[in-house]
Amino acid sequence: MSPLLRVDRLVTGIGAARVVDGVSFDVAAGETYALLGESGCGKSMTALSLMRLLPDGGRILSGHVQLGETDVLALPERDMRRVRGGQMAMVFQEPMLALNPVIKVGDQIGEALSLHQGLNGQAARDAARALLDSVGVPDAARRLDSYPFELSGGLRQRMMIAMALAGEPSLLIADEPTTALDVTIQAQVLDVLRNLRAKRRMGMLLITHDLGVVAENADRVGVMYAGELLEEGARDAFFAAPQHPYSRMLFEALPRTGDAGRLTTIAGQVPRLDTQLRGCRFAPRCPFAIARCHAESPGWQELDGQRVRCHLAGSLPAGSVRERVTHPVAAHTPQPLLQVEGLKVHFPIRRGLIQRTVGHVRAVDDVDLTIQAGRTLALVGESGCGKTTVGKALLRLIEPTAGTIMLGGKAVPAKNMPTLRRQAQMVFQDPFSSLNPRMRVADILLEGMDALGVGARGERRGAVARLLDQVGLPDDAGGRYPHAFSGGQRQRIAIARALAVSPRLVICDEPTSALDVSVQAQILNLLKDLQADLGLAYLFITHNLAVVEYLAHDVAVMYLGRIVEQGQAGAVLRTPRHPYTQALVSAVPRIEPPAGQTVIRLAGDQPSPLNPPVGCHFHPRCPHASAVCRQTYPERTDLGGGHWVRCHWVAAQG
Amino acid sequence: MFAYILRRLLYAIPILIGVNLLTFALFFVVNTPDDMARLQLGAKHVTPEAIERWKVEHGYDKPLLLNTRVTGSAQLTDTLFFKRSAAMFAFEFGKGDDGRDIGNEIRTRMGPSLAIALPVFVVGLLVNITFALLMVFFRATYLDVWGVVLCVVLMSISGLFYIIAGQYFIAKLWNLLPISGYTGGIHGLKFILLPVLVSVVAGIGSGSRWYRTIFLEEIGKDYVRTARAKGLSEIRVLFRHVLKNGMIPILTGAVVVLPLLFMGSLITESFFGIPGLGSYTIDAIQAQDFSVVRAMVFLGSFLYIVGLILTDISYSWVDPRVRLQ
Amino acid sequence: MSLGTFHFVPVLLWTDALIFMLLTVALATVWWIRRHAHLRAPWAAVARRPMAMGAALVLAVFVIIGLLDSLHYRERLDASPPDRPQYSVEVLSVFDALAGRLRTQQEKTYSAPLAMHLYAKEFTERDGATVRDYPRLEYGGAHLKQADEYVPDIVRRVLVGLLQGLASSLLLFGLLAAWQARHRQMRVGSWLSAWETGHLGWPGRTVVIVLALMLMLGAVIARLAAGYHVFGTDKVGQDVLYISLKSIRTGLVIGTLTTLVTLPLAIVLGIAAGYFRGWVDDVIQYVYTVLNSIPGVLLIAAAVLIVQVAIEAHPDLFDTSAARADVRLLALCIIMGVTSWTSLARLLRGESLKLRTLDYVEAARAFGVSHARIISRHIFPNVFHLVLIAIVLDFSGLVLAEAVLSYVGVGVDPAMYSWGNMINGARLELAREPVVWWQLGAAFAFMFTLVLAANLFADGVRDAFDPRLEERQ
Ligand SMILES: Nc1ncnc2c1ncn2[C@@H]1O[C@H](COP(=O)(O)OP(=O)(O)O)[C@@H](O)[C@H]1O
Ligand code: SF4
Ligand code: SF4
Ligand SMILES: [Mg+2]
């Protein structure tokens, strides 16, 4: 049987760079083929080449793409339009940007329906509603008249999928369809895609950088690196024994359950594609590289049904090189470093003639936290639940509405900010917007010391050199500007900047979520080393539970401005008690599915903090909600060992 | 919505007061009525008596802000500020130096101004959008590159040149249209054509280049790729998706000047002898008729603020994301 | 007094002082930029664009003429005694000295470009009889004895000019090639082939061609101007080429000094509004809405009329008419600056609003860095490209605006050389038969060249500095 899609030695250039270089793979009907790789390695360009939707300046240089009976690259543009959306359709990463903001979603779907199925008017409307039903949009008829900005991220992505399905394509290309979404929503959307594929026997090309997503959704996997495919095989075989050094290192860079050892990192960076490349493209970063690797590009080799491009395929040492290390049990008595009680941040909403305050966004609503010296407290929750706001309120970058902040047992009054700021600093999520592009690295590091008067003036230059060394940057980095550094290096600079005033607490707001897995591993290792060396405490804000397990001692789970569960990391993540935490843990796509856990899928989205539901905020989505949950907010239920939850259901279990 | 408009209207009042105070300061404090009189009388006839007479004739003989010669509320009302500046809020502009009622002049001259400005505005918008879309459709080809160069060349030519060249070639050399003049009604059409044509051509360069930038910015966005991925043709993508988004900045940029069309264009009207507000203004400037200039300043600001409010309203119409509250 | 031995006394007009201050600032900025890699990079991108570089060369010629025309002096009157020297009330410039006869060879009235005869018929004595005919010009074509020598003479001058231009271009090109080859340590031959194929890293071909064209044009004009009025003469018989060249300075002054006034207002108020928000923002927004709401021409007209009144009221303050015209020019620049800062301020306000929420500003706030430092180190350097783009984009608009304002009667002093005044003066003569077109033509041509060059250069600068465009590519 011939496959649905056959890609043969596809080469695509943008300007001088060959961003896709000789990629070949097949996708069968009803099969999900996952294209895996770090950012910038050519996954999206491969997909856009198939659709012939390359950005300006992009050209397909050679190769062959066969979709069913059609030779896609040979079609005139006019016929290609019928293929787009009709035979292969595409779902993009960022649904807010990918939908036209000023056209109702119903009309955007209708456009595809009229184009590919000739449906118009009421018939199109009915068909669109049926599509929305099939992707699980509640209240479909009303939603057709919404504009994209009125929908939540998850709903928008469902609309995108419905639109892609409108032409009844035989191949669906999904380019990072869930990367911009929260885990709970990601789980919903992936479920929709899985069901649709099965029902319609579509082929699916799933592009992702997330090994967990691949493990749960793909039938076959292809690993891309620097424009080339490096390894290909059936999912189970691939996950059992990845053969290419790059694939292996990707696995080992991932933090894993119950393992607190150092993560494997991949040194260096993806090579620039606009230069002449000789030999194996991975050679400069490959720990196994031999002389031949630099001279000769490896060909494909078959290995038990897997295909690999590596000179040493088959002869590499089997299994993991990393030994497992469990979390050391905390030996010292916990010393509270920073305590907050009753922290509230309410943003007023003004309306009307005289801009009267008509309500408040309760971004943070009565939060108590204790951060112990030298330990890591992770704050987890869906985006928009108020995590960042907590972090900024602690540093008084946002003025809290209420609450006391105590440092080392003493309250910090508002006028004593310099003390607070010498003790606590922050590392931000986006390494590109967190460094001023017009300042030299040395000046960036000096800024805090100058402002807070840390150290003698003459010694600060020396301190800069020490800091650079501490975060693993070369000595000459101080004289350069941020644009000369990669994302991971920039994040190191940001960490060095925070460390410059020798704080005891560093608030890390999603410091690795903008980074690739291999770079994330470097940063996590660095954070861990710094904690060991300097006795730092971290407040680690994240939505990535795998990272939490790896790094954190304690976890606080936040939902809609409040903390719903808190305790030691192991306890909370392995035996979550709050229904929300359970759903969160269950939604994380895993490489090795944990045995004996039932899958919990949350329905719907997090409500707006403008008017949170009465009673337990979580009740509209909670599978265990009862009458009392709709009326009163639950009290704390202590579970021992510092583990507590706020849930009537848990309380009732005793 | 209603509360919003009301709030904007209330906000307009302090602005008009600001304009009023500024013009009052410029025209009466920095530049006193005595100076005006001297300027008007000319160097030869300046005597203290002549100045006083001129001031009495033109109603500038009152104190600026506080009249101590009278009592009661008249202390405030019988002053230059109240009579000449505050009165403008009631659209009472008084008389010009030629003795005619300014309010009356404004009413009769608005029509001719609009007869030129409105067609220029509408035709210009259509022409510029068409050119911009054409360039965008052929983007990254030589047609686009040379289109842009042509735009830059066109916008580097002085507006006066377009008028003078238009009058010289079309009216004088080829006798196609009258060189200047104006009558109302359908017969006036022949007088309107040339100024409209010249003004539209003069605006093509900067207009279509600007719109091109707007469209190009839109065309780089993700939703355009989505639309293409659906299988829509480039034309449909351009007209349905890009145009709809690009029109938001274009329309709102256009709405702001809509009320100002009443003011006419100074240069065009004066060259083509159109008896509109533009030529009225320019005559006033050249004759140094300060009352008329002040009246036009107030009218212009008022119309500008109306334009701002209309812009906000039109925003909420064309962009569903904007909700006025 | 020792000055007594000099034949002239330097005169520093207000605008001269400002122009040279601006020049100093510009040179200092160039020096500063050269030392910083990240600042240099976008300029290097500008330098790689052929269109921008060609335009920059043309602009440079205008600027040089303008600068020469800004070195003013007054000549000593020959009759005055050396120990108590008296100086002419006429203020001249180095450019005038270089232009030499162009300035002094004045005819009676209009004459067409390159003409030998006056525009208007006059009664002249010929062979004893009084005839009404077009008299010969006093200077234009005066060296010709007979009318039939005219065409060969023109052709000869054009050819000689072309040859001279070509020769000097070749000489320059040879020097350039030799220097470049030496500088890059390659053979002249290989440099030439790199030049020919456009692989120099800078638009060598465009630069050389534009330079050669300008040299040839200049040489031809110089040849012709030695014997004729190339662009004819105006109503009082003055050489139109001379007037047009003198107008360059006025155009440049308006285009640059206005921006100089605009910048501090726009930068301070725009950034303050966006960064501090709250009541500061409210007040600044109020001020600029008020200013914006007044129709620009009217505000300028009102202010200029007032300045005019003030100048006329104090004739004793100005010792020469040039000084008076100069103050009026400066006033015009200030007025236009004060009325036009709003758009840039609005842009900067919006950008500062965005910047203040960026993480690096938050990080600075987390250290308790003062507002002044945050603005000077984080906000201002990151909006500077917008300021620069505004400067270059506004320039051409201002040059064009001068013509319109002069037409309205609120532009520069009527006695000042400016394209606006040229147009204004010649406009009515279009009705004459035959048409007097050269004055208008010359003014428009000069204005067009300057504005086009400025626009093309501005395009290059904008493309290189606008980060949004960068992302799109
Ligand atoms: N300046 C603000 N004004 C109004 N609402 C805000 C502001 N900042 C944050 N919010 C709201 O507060 C909630 C919490 O946001 P945030 O702290 O960013 O959450 P997270 O870090 O989990 O993404 C969101 O609903 C957000 O819209
Ligand atoms: S070919 Fe060589 S360099 Fe490339 S992955 Fe294999 S061992 Fe490493
Ligand atoms: S309190 Fe009720 S609604 Fe809230 S989590 Fe517990 S069971 Fe669910
Ligand atoms: Mg966040």
PDB file of all heavy atoms in Angstrom, chain A residues 506-522:
ATOM      1  N   VAL A 506      16.144  34.228  45.330  1.00  0.00           N
ATOM      2  CA  VAL A 506      15.968  34.634  43.938  1.00  0.00           C
ATOM      3  C   VAL A 506      14.617  34.131  43.476  1.00  0.00           C
ATOM      4  O   VAL A 506      14.296  32.956  43.627  1.00  0.00           O
ATOM      5  CB  VAL A 506      17.084  34.064  43.031  1.00  0.00           C
ATOM      6  CG1 VAL A 506      16.818  34.447  41.581  1.00  0.00           C
ATOM      7  CG2 VAL A 506      18.431  34.591  43.465  1.00  0.00           C
ATOM      8  N   ILE A 507      13.824  35.060  42.961  1.00  0.00           N
ATOM      9  CA  ILE A 507      12.527  34.690  42.431  1.00  0.00           C
ATOM     10  C   ILE A 507      12.705  34.427  40.942  1.00  0.00           C
ATOM     11  O   ILE A 507      13.092  35.319  40.193  1.00  0.00           O
ATOM     12  CB  ILE A 507      11.518  35.823  42.674  1.00  0.00           C
ATOM     13  CG1 ILE A 507      11.367  36.042  44.179  1.00  0.00           C
ATOM     14  CG2 ILE A 507      10.189  35.500  42.025  1.00  0.00           C
ATOM     15  CD1 ILE A 507      10.546  37.249  44.543  1.00  0.00           C
ATOM     16  N   CYS A 508      12.472  33.189  40.533  1.00  0.00           N
ATOM     17  CA  CYS A 508      12.669  32.833  39.130  1.00  0.00           C
ATOM     18  C   CYS A 508      11.311  32.670  38.487  1.00  0.00           C
ATOM     19  O   CYS A 508      10.585  31.729  38.801  1.00  0.00           O
ATOM     20  CB  CYS A 508      13.438  31.529  39.001  1.00  0.00           C
ATOM     21  SG  CYS A 508      15.005  31.538  39.831  1.00  0.00           S
ATOM     22  N   ASP A 509      10.957  33.590  37.572  1.00  0.00           N
ATOM     23  CA  ASP A 509       9.656  33.512  36.927  1.00  0.00           C
ATOM     24  C   ASP A 509       9.796  32.777  35.608  1.00  0.00           C
ATOM     25  O   ASP A 509      10.192  33.362  34.608  1.00  0.00           O
ATOM     26  CB  ASP A 509       9.113  34.927  36.722  1.00  0.00           C
ATOM     27  CG  ASP A 509       7.684  34.907  36.230  1.00  0.00           C
ATOM     28  OD1 ASP A 509       7.111  33.805  36.135  1.00  0.00           O
ATOM     29  OD2 ASP A 509       7.147  35.984  35.929  1.00  0.00           O
ATOM     30  N   GLU A 510       9.449  31.515  35.605  1.00  0.00           N
ATOM     31  CA  GLU A 510       9.523  30.694  34.397  1.00  0.00           C
ATOM     32  C   GLU A 510      10.846  30.877  33.673  1.00  0.00           C
ATOM     33  O   GLU A 510      10.867  31.189  32.476  1.00  0.00           O
ATOM     34  CB  GLU A 510       8.393  31.066  33.428  1.00  0.00           C
ATOM     35  CG  GLU A 510       7.051  31.165  34.101  1.00  0.00           C
ATOM     36  CD  GLU A 510       6.054  30.140  33.589  1.00  0.00           C
ATOM     37  OE1 GLU A 510       6.520  29.190  32.924  1.00  0.00           O
ATOM     38  OE2 GLU A 510       4.874  30.270  33.880  1.00  0.00           O
ATOM     39  N   PRO A 511      11.955  30.700  34.329  1.00  0.00           N
ATOM     40  CA  PRO A 511      13.237  31.068  33.692  1.00  0.00           C
ATOM     41  C   PRO A 511      13.619  30.149  32.546  1.00  0.00           C
ATOM     42  O   PRO A 511      14.517  30.483  31.780  1.00  0.00           O
ATOM     43  CB  PRO A 511      14.243  30.948  34.832  1.00  0.00           C
ATOM     44  CG  PRO A 511      13.651  29.953  35.746  1.00  0.00           C
ATOM     45  CD  PRO A 511      12.169  30.104  35.651  1.00  0.00           C
ATOM     46  N   THR A 512      12.973  29.014  32.415  1.00  0.00           N
ATOM     47  CA  THR A 512      13.401  28.102  31.343  1.00  0.00           C
ATOM     48  C   THR A 512      12.321  27.864  30.306  1.00  0.00           C
ATOM     49  O   THR A 512      12.538  27.124  29.357  1.00  0.00           O
ATOM     50  CB  THR A 512      13.817  26.738  31.912  1.00  0.00           C
ATOM     51  OG1 THR A 512      12.681  26.161  32.559  1.00  0.00           O
ATOM     52  CG2 THR A 512      14.953  26.868  32.887  1.00  0.00           C
ATOM     53  N   SER A 513      11.151  28.506  30.450  1.00  0.00           N
ATOM     54  CA  SER A 513      10.078  28.090  29.543  1.00  0.00           C
ATOM     55  C   SER A 513      10.271  28.641  28.145  1.00  0.00           C
ATOM     56  O   SER A 513       9.633  28.182  27.210  1.00  0.00           O
ATOM     57  CB  SER A 513       8.725  28.488  30.103  1.00  0.00           C
ATOM     58  OG  SER A 513       8.672  29.864  30.273  1.00  0.00           O
ATOM     59  N   ALA A 514      11.143  29.625  27.975  1.00  0.00           N
ATOM     60  CA  ALA A 514      11.383  30.106  26.616  1.00  0.00           C
ATOM     61  C   ALA A 514      12.583  29.397  25.987  1.00  0.00           C
ATOM     62  O   ALA A 514      12.991  29.746  24.887  1.00  0.00           O
ATOM     63  CB  ALA A 514      11.624  31.611  26.632  1.00  0.00           C
ATOM     64  N   LEU A 515      13.139  28.420  26.684  1.00  0.00           N
ATOM     65  CA  LEU A 515      14.374  27.800  26.203  1.00  0.00           C
ATOM     66  C   LEU A 515      14.129  26.373  25.715  1.00  0.00           C
ATOM     67  O   LEU A 515      13.165  25.726  26.108  1.00  0.00           O
ATOM     68  CB  LEU A 515      15.406  27.769  27.340  1.00  0.00           C
ATOM     69  CG  LEU A 515      15.714  29.119  27.986  1.00  0.00           C
ATOM     70  CD1 LEU A 515      16.645  28.920  29.166  1.00  0.00           C
ATOM     71  CD2 LEU A 515      16.322  30.066  26.987  1.00  0.00           C
ATOM     72  N   ASP A 516      15.040  25.914  24.899  1.00  0.00           N
ATOM     73  CA  ASP A 516      14.958  24.534  24.438  1.00  0.00           C
ATOM     74  C   ASP A 516      15.395  23.573  25.540  1.00  0.00           C
ATOM     75  O   ASP A 516      16.098  23.961  26.480  1.00  0.00           O
ATOM     76  CB  ASP A 516      15.873  24.350  23.228  1.00  0.00           C
ATOM     77  CG  ASP A 516      15.169  24.747  21.968  1.00  0.00           C
ATOM     78  OD1 ASP A 516      13.999  24.367  21.811  1.00  0.00           O
ATOM     79  OD2 ASP A 516      15.781  25.446  21.142  1.00  0.00           O
ATOM     80  N   VAL A 517      15.007  22.315  25.373  1.00  0.00           N
ATOM     81  CA  VAL A 517      15.260  21.322  26.422  1.00  0.00           C
ATOM     82  C   VAL A 517      16.727  21.270  26.820  1.00  0.00           C
ATOM     83  O   VAL A 517      17.070  21.260  28.000  1.00  0.00           O
ATOM     84  CB  VAL A 517      14.836  19.928  25.943  1.00  0.00           C
ATOM     85  CG1 VAL A 517      14.886  18.953  27.111  1.00  0.00           C
ATOM     86  CG2 VAL A 517      13.470  19.977  25.345  1.00  0.00           C
ATOM     87  N   SER A 518      17.618  21.240  25.821  1.00  0.00           N
ATOM     88  CA  SER A 518      19.024  21.073  26.153  1.00  0.00           C
ATOM     89  C   SER A 518      19.555  22.298  26.903  1.00  0.00           C
ATOM     90  O   SER A 518      20.364  22.183  27.811  1.00  0.00           O
ATOM     91  CB  SER A 518      19.833  20.844  24.885  1.00  0.00           C
ATOM     92  OG  SER A 518      19.735  21.968  24.059  1.00  0.00           O
ATOM     93  N   VAL A 519      19.050  23.467  26.546  1.00  0.00           N
ATOM     94  CA  VAL A 519      19.494  24.684  27.212  1.00  0.00           C
ATOM     95  C   VAL A 519      18.839  24.778  28.585  1.00  0.00           C
ATOM     96  O   VAL A 519      19.457  25.198  29.564  1.00  0.00           O
ATOM     97  CB  VAL A 519      19.143  25.910  26.354  1.00  0.00           C
ATOM     98  CG1 VAL A 519      19.673  27.162  26.997  1.00  0.00           C
ATOM     99  CG2 VAL A 519      19.699  25.743  24.967  1.00  0.00           C
ATOM    100  N   GLN A 520      17.592  24.351  28.653  1.00  0.00           N
ATOM    101  CA  GLN A 520      16.905  24.315  29.941  1.00  0.00           C
ATOM    102  C   GLN A 520      17.720  23.505  30.940  1.00  0.00           C
ATOM    103  O   GLN A 520      17.883  23.891  32.093  1.00  0.00           O
ATOM    104  CB  GLN A 520      15.519  23.683  29.771  1.00  0.00           C
ATOM    105  CG  GLN A 520      14.913  23.239  31.080  1.00  0.00           C
ATOM    106  CD  GLN A 520      13.490  22.748  30.904  1.00  0.00           C
ATOM    107  OE1 GLN A 520      12.623  23.479  30.441  1.00  0.00           O
ATOM    108  NE2 GLN A 520      13.236  21.505  31.262  1.00  0.00           N
ATOM    109  N   ALA A 521      18.260  22.382  30.474  1.00  0.00           N
ATOM    110  CA  ALA A 521      19.046  21.528  31.353  1.00  0.00           C
ATOM    111  C   ALA A 521      20.240  22.290  31.900  1.00  0.00           C
ATOM    112  O   ALA A 521      20.555  22.209  33.092  1.00  0.00           O
ATOM    113  CB  ALA A 521      19.502  20.293  30.591  1.00  0.00           C
ATOM    114  N   GLN A 522      20.897  23.083  31.023  1.00  0.00           N
ATOM    115  CA  GLN A 522      22.041  23.862  31.505  1.00  0.00           C
ATOM    116  C   GLN A 522      21.634  24.823  32.606  1.00  0.00           C
ATOM    117  O   GLN A 522      22.313  24.947  33.627  1.00  0.00           O
ATOM    118  CB  GLN A 522      22.641  24.678  30.356  1.00  0.00           C
ATOM    119  CG  GLN A 522      23.214  23.852  29.237  1.00  0.00           C
ATOM    120  CD  GLN A 522      23.589  24.730  28.042  1.00  0.00           C
ATOM    121  OE1 GLN A 522      23.550  25.955  28.123  1.00  0.00           O
ATOM    122  NE2 GLN A 522      23.954  24.093  26.950  1.00  0.00           N
TER     123      GLN A 522
END
